[in-house]
Amino acid sequence: MKYFKFYNKQDILSVTNTRRFETKLGERLQAISDPKRLEESLKESEAKFVIFGVPEDIGVRANFGMGGTGTAWQPFLSSFVNIQSNDFLEGSEILLLGRFDFTEIEALIESNAHNFEEKVDAYRHAVNEVDEAVEPLVKLITQYNKIPIVIGGGHNNAYPLIKGAAKGLYKSGLIPLASINCINLDAHADFRPLEGRHSGNAFSYAEEDGFLQKYCVIGIHENYLTQNIWMDVVNNPFIDFITYEDIFIHEKKNFLEAIAHATTFTEDTYTGIELDLDCIENTLSSAATPSGVEPLHARQFISYASADSKTAYLHICEGASRLSDGRSSETTGKLIAYLVSDFLKAKE
């Protein structure tokens, strides 16, 4: 499969710190033994969850953003495989598939684009290549009734996740139309105009193409909600949101009530669970914020939203361990590992 690096069991164990009298998740996780038999392996596997990474900066750079979202996968992996395997989370129902590698595309653009406009245009074309690589894998996973857990990367990958999951669930006979819902904990709507693919318009493209049915954003910041998107949302009965200010400043709803509102709004069909790390206060991301939800809120969102939804997939994106301006964080990967483990526990 183009751009994809499959992990074998030894790859997983190489980043697992084994210790006497303890068992780590990395020792329990399943791996694909023969990538050439991917479809058969997925069909035969008893795993309920399939984890893979899409570490790339292409969609963020296409949205005039700062690079760094390609750096979250490896720290996440190192933290996740070293979680203790115990009665709370044993690990054998999880298949760790591998990761995509789009570094050649990024290097080609950086070395050949002559100016900023050319780079943006090239990156927007390249996002289509990422879409076409990610979508069929998600379709394959979901058509065999498994839940993809995807670590990004930019929020551009929500589009191939929605499209692939909708197609896969439709092929499996679980939904009558290739269309699903989404709940997104995010400071931004990512519903920008159809101006070429980037990290800010995954949901508008998914809706335009008919793969996104209902969409609810929790915690959107009023300061970053453009007037045209606001008008689109207000006039669309299939889109809803609750602003950060309504929850935490004006206290019209508390956080758990906001999650319950979103799961009720989207309860009619399978729902993708989206979490953009730029909504978490002081978390290193492509658009870090000094005013946002706490890690506790993010963990509650993952736990409650996934437990109360027919989940199509989990997508955690926009986090970074190092940004292109030199800022770094050693805790981003561990935070993502907490969020993924919360999801797994909620679904089991």
Side-chain angles (χ1 to χ4, degrees):
M1 197 165 64
K2 194 175 182 183
Y3 302 118
F4 199 81
K5 173 179 169 52
F6 289 93
Y7 289 171
N8 58 39
K9 191 62 180 181
Q10 189 53 47
D11 292 328
I12 298 171
L13 291 174
S14 69
V15 288
T16 305
N17 302 320
T18 57
R19 186 170 176 172
R20 287 184 68 194
F21 312 117
E22 296 180 10
T23 305
K24 304 288 183 65
L25 278 191
E27 297 173 79
R28 296 294 193 197
L29 298 177
Q30 295 185 31
I32 291 288
S33 56
D34 183 5
K36 293 178 182 177
R37 295 183 62 254
L38 174 60
E39 185 165 354
E40 293 85 349
S41 298
L42 285 171
K43 187 176 180 180
E44 294 164 4
S45 173
E46 295 182 357
K48 291 169 57 179
F49 309 96
V50 180
I51 299 177
F52 67 89
V54 193
E56 51 79 34
D57 293 335
I58 295 171
V60 170
R61 291 186 185 277
N63 193 27
F64 311 127
M66 183 176 297
T69 53
T71 64
W73 166 254
Q74 197 60 44
F76 154 74
L77 182 64
S78 298
S79 292
F80 183 72
V81 299
N82 285 294
I83 291 174
Q84 295 289 340
S85 170
N86 54 32
D87 284 348
F88 299 102
L89 181 60
E90 190 265 340
S92 61
E93 289 192 319
I94 307 163
L95 174 62
L96 181 55
L97 197 61
R99 64 172 175 84
F100 283 94
D101 184 354
F102 298 109
T103 52
E104 284 187 14
I105 296 176
E106 296 183 37
L108 197 65
I109 293 171
E110 288 297 318
S111 60
N112 288 282
H114 297 296
N115 53 49
F116 179 75
E117 289 77 15
E118 278 193 15
K119 276 188 180 181
V120 169
D121 189 52
Y123 274 120
R124 289 185 177 181
H125 279 93
V127 175
N128 293 308
E129 184 83 0
V130 176
D131 290 345
E132 290 171 10
V134 175
E135 180 212 320
L137 179 58
V138 177
K139 179 187 175 186
L140 196 61
I141 293 167
T142 52
Q143 80 180 49
Y144 289 115
N145 301 324
K146 303 182 191 308
I147 300 177
I149 298 173
V150 183
I151 310 302
H155 220 152
N156 45 290
N157 294 306
Y159 173 71
L161 280 172
I162 293 165
K163 187 176 181 180
K167 287 183 174 182
L169 291 166
Y170 172 73
K171 187 168 184 179
S172 71
L174 291 172
I175 54 177
L177 297 170
S179 181
I180 63 171
N181 298 335
C182 271
I183 300 172
N184 183 19
L185 180 64
D186 200 339
H188 313 94
D190 291 338
F191 209 80
R192 288 182 178 276
L194 310 178
E195 56 186 355
R197 288 281 291 116
H198 56 66
S199 64
N201 59 20
F203 299 99
S204 39
Y205 270 91
E207 193 221 19
E208 175 71 15
D209 293 343
F211 297 107
L212 178 61
Q213 188 172 331
K214 289 182 181 176
Y215 177 44
C216 188
V217 190
I218 301 173
I220 189 170
H221 288 207
E222 293 173 5
N223 288 7
Y224 299 101
L225 180 60
T226 63
Q227 183 65 19
N228 63 320
I229 293 175
W230 160 250
M231 295 306 296
D232 287 343
V233 169
V234 166
N235 293 310
N236 191 330
F238 295 100
I239 302 176
D240 198 4
F241 66 86
I242 306 162
T243 69
Y244 176 90
E245 286 74 14
D246 276 350
I247 299 168
F248 296 103
I249 307 300
H250 310 304
E251 297 183 327
K252 294 180 179 179
K253 276 186 171 71
N254 65 39
F255 188 65
L256 297 185
E257 287 172 341
I259 298 171
H261 174 88
T263 56
T264 301
F265 181 68
T266 57
E267 67 183 357
D268 57 316
T269 191
Y270 279 81
T271 300
I273 306 296
E274 298 270 349
L275 197 159
D276 188 324
L277 290 173
D278 70 16
C279 73
I280 305 176
E281 193 170 296
N282 299 322
T283 295
L284 196 67
S285 68
S286 58
T289 183
S291 176
V293 301
E294 298 174 6
L296 171 62
H297 295 122
R299 294 185 66 185
Q300 287 178 325
F301 166 74
I302 291 289
S303 185
Y304 285 96
S306 54
D308 202 27
S309 299
K310 291 185 287 187
T311 307
Y313 65 81
L314 172 67
H315 184 207
I316 299 175
C317 60
E318 298 278 341
S321 62
R322 177 174 290 275
L323 292 172
S324 55
D325 65 359
R327 284 179 291 164
S328 64
S329 169
E330 304 208 349
T331 59
T332 305
K334 193 169 187 177
L335 173 59
I336 299 172
Y338 269 111
L339 295 167
V340 171
S341 65
D342 289 332
F343 175 80
L344 292 163
K345 292 171 186 177
K347 298 306 291 184
E348 291 199 349

